[in-house]
Amino acid sequence: MAAALSTPSFSLPSCRAIAPCRGSSFNPLSFSPFHGKCHPLPTNSRKLNLMKAMVLQDKKKIVVTTELNSLPVLKRTDEEPDCSVESTSCSVESPPSFLESWAIKVEQTVNVLLLESVIKILDALYQEREYARFYVLETIARVPYFSFISVLHMYESFGWWRRGDYLKVHFAESWNELHHLLIMEELGGNSWWFDRFLAQHIALFYYFMTVFMYLISPRMAYHFSECVELHAYSSYDKFLTLKGDELKKLPAPEVALKYYTEGDLYLFDEFQTSRAPNTRRPKIENLYDVFVNIRDDEAEHCKTMKDCQTHGNLRSPHSSAGSCKESNTVASKDCAGIFDCLKKSITTPPQEE
């Protein structure tokens, strides 16, 4: 669920940006303007002034935010997280053709305009009712993952598709969003009939819209979900900034404590495809911690949706590293979108199992 985006092309800042070499609580990025090394400041005053000017100029462009995936994440000053991830692809990416590049721009422009229209409506309805707004957002947020699973099950029934990792990860994403929704319900976000009516009917329309979009262009559907998750991240981040002191005095909901700290956390690890399992274990002491973790969950969803926009690029965190056959069984039976599936079902001869 995400912030308003500055350009239709939806370009996000690169991880290859200036990061502090020392004096911080996190590890430095693998790339820096000093070619990956930390050098002492020059003693020459002219060089020192020049370096200060460079640092000040870069500080205007980026700010360092909370640690995600054991590395500092850089975000733009309009509160958008960096959704880029290290590639876990089992396929070799080829540069897009002119026609494909044009199609990507059209898809992303439509997605951004559509999302901005919805955001304006929600802003008008929920200016002073944060929990109700979050309830509506979380009711909507889990819908795409149901849509993806529905279409993938249909492909699987026709024998067109065999990628079990997609089913696992998308179910884990919906499970995570479900618990966000349960938290908002425990906080009273669904107390008004109007809010329940609006959220549920938007979700119904959104389900069929996403199914249709996913049938035609999975890339477009995943990008739209990335936009939604970005808006979610921004909404929670701004809420934490405005209400942080108040939230630290309030207790955490019981459903949040159970989800983040108790029981089997397999599904909690499963949707975070940019990190290894068991590397994130939240601590919940108050309501502020709950919203911090919800915000960080949305950033992880954003990364996964970014990765999914390259066909065949998604792999479960629990899959054996480097093993495409284990994570995507019968890889030859695979297609992207309904037209590709129909084409391959007609032109590809049947293979012996």
Side-chain angles (χ1 to χ4, degrees):
M1 303 160 87
L5 308 171
S6 58
T7 62
S9 61
F10 194 62
S11 58
L12 291 171
S14 171
C15 280
R16 296 194 170 188
I18 294 177
C21 292
R22 55 186 175 182
S24 63
S25 60
F26 46 76
N27 297 325
L29 292 176
S30 60
F31 176 87
S32 77
F34 305 109
H35 306 289
K37 299 180 180 179
C38 295
H39 297 288
L41 292 175
T43 56
N44 184 285
S45 60
R46 184 176 181 181
K47 293 182 179 179
L48 180 59
N49 291 334
L50 178 60
M51 183 172 292
K52 287 181 178 179
M54 292 172 60
V55 172
L56 290 174
Q57 183 178 4
D58 286 310
K59 283 184 177 179
K60 294 179 182 178
K61 298 179 182 178
I62 57 175
V63 292
V64 180
T65 184
T66 56
E67 180 179 342
L68 293 175
N69 197 20
S70 75
L71 290 177
V73 174
L74 303 177
K75 62 178 182 178
R76 298 193 313 219
T77 53
D78 58 353
E79 305 298 335
E80 290 182 4
D82 186 348
C83 290
S84 59
V85 294
E86 294 181 2
S87 177
T88 57
S89 176
C90 289
S91 59
V92 178
E93 295 184 41
S94 58
S97 62
F98 173 79
L99 182 60
E100 185 178 5
S101 299
W102 179 82
I104 291 174
K105 289 183 179 180
V106 171
E107 291 172 356
Q108 294 183 352
T109 300
V110 171
N111 285 342
V112 170
L113 293 176
L114 180 60
L115 181 64
E116 286 182 344
S117 300
V118 175
I119 291 174
K120 289 180 180 179
I121 296 174
L122 294 179
D123 286 345
L125 293 174
Y126 297 99
Q127 291 183 354
E128 302 296 334
R129 301 175 56 230
E130 291 92 350
Y131 292 161
R133 178 191 177 96
F134 294 151
Y135 165 78
V136 174
L137 292 177
E138 295 299 346
T139 301
I140 297 171
R142 63 197 190 113
V143 168
Y145 307 117
F146 299 152
S147 302
F148 301 157
I149 292 173
S150 298
V151 175
L152 294 177
H153 269 298
M154 183 190 73
Y155 288 168
E156 191 174 42
S157 299
F158 292 158
W160 292 347
W161 174 88
R162 292 292 187 276
R163 287 191 181 271
D165 279 18
Y166 279 65
L167 290 176
K168 289 172 59 181
V169 172
H170 291 333
F171 178 78
E173 288 175 306
S174 68
W175 187 252
N176 176 258
E177 297 288 9
L178 167 64
H179 284 81
H180 293 178
L181 177 62
L182 295 175
I183 291 170
M184 298 311 155
E185 290 180 348
E186 189 167 337
L187 292 173
N190 65 334
S191 58
W192 289 17
W193 174 87
F194 171 78
D195 298 327
R196 298 194 301 272
F197 179 87
L198 179 66
Q200 292 163 3
H201 285 76
I202 291 178
L204 181 64
F205 171 80
Y206 188 27
Y207 172 82
F208 289 104
M209 185 197 80
T210 307
V211 166
F212 177 77
M213 188 184 294
Y214 197 62
L215 283 169
I216 303 302
S217 174
R219 178 184 60 212
M220 183 178 183
Y222 284 130
H223 176 262
F224 187 79
S225 293
E226 181 191 359
C227 294
V228 173
E229 301 299 354
L230 277 170
H231 175 63
Y233 178 96
S234 176
S235 297
Y236 288 120
D237 195 58
K238 292 177 181 178
F239 179 65
L240 286 166
T241 301
L242 294 173
K243 304 288 186 177
D245 294 337
E246 178 182 342
L247 295 173
K248 291 177 181 178
K249 301 176 183 178
L250 299 175
E254 183 178 356
V255 64
L257 290 170
K258 290 182 178 180
Y259 175 68
Y260 284 111
T261 64
E262 299 177 10
D264 184 3
L265 295 178
Y266 179 93
L267 289 176
F268 178 74
D269 291 330
E270 183 67 19
F271 79 89
Q272 303 179 72
T273 57
S274 66
R275 61 169 67 241
N278 303 313
T279 57
R280 181 184 168 210
R281 288 294 178 263
K283 293 182 179 180
I284 306 295
E285 297 180 354
N286 47 49
L287 189 57
Y288 179 85
D289 292 339
V290 173
F291 278 97
V292 166
N293 281 286
I294 292 176
R295 180 200 63 186
D296 293 349
D297 288 348
E298 305 298 357
E300 293 294 337
H301 288 301
C302 172
K303 292 180 180 182
T304 300
M305 292 297 95
K306 180 77 171 180
D307 208 28
C308 285
Q309 290 169 48
T310 300
H311 178 61
N313 208 33
L314 181 66
R315 188 168 70 241
S316 164
H318 293 94
S319 297
S320 300
S323 175
C324 297
K325 291 183 178 179
E326 291 184 13
S327 61
N328 298 311
T329 59
V330 197
S332 61
K333 293 187 177 181
D334 177 64
C335 51
I338 188 70
F339 298 114
D340 185 42
C341 290
L342 287 171
K343 177 183 176 182
K344 288 184 177 180
S345 67
I346 295 173
T347 59
T348 304
Q351 297 181 357
E352 296 183 0
E353 298 290 342

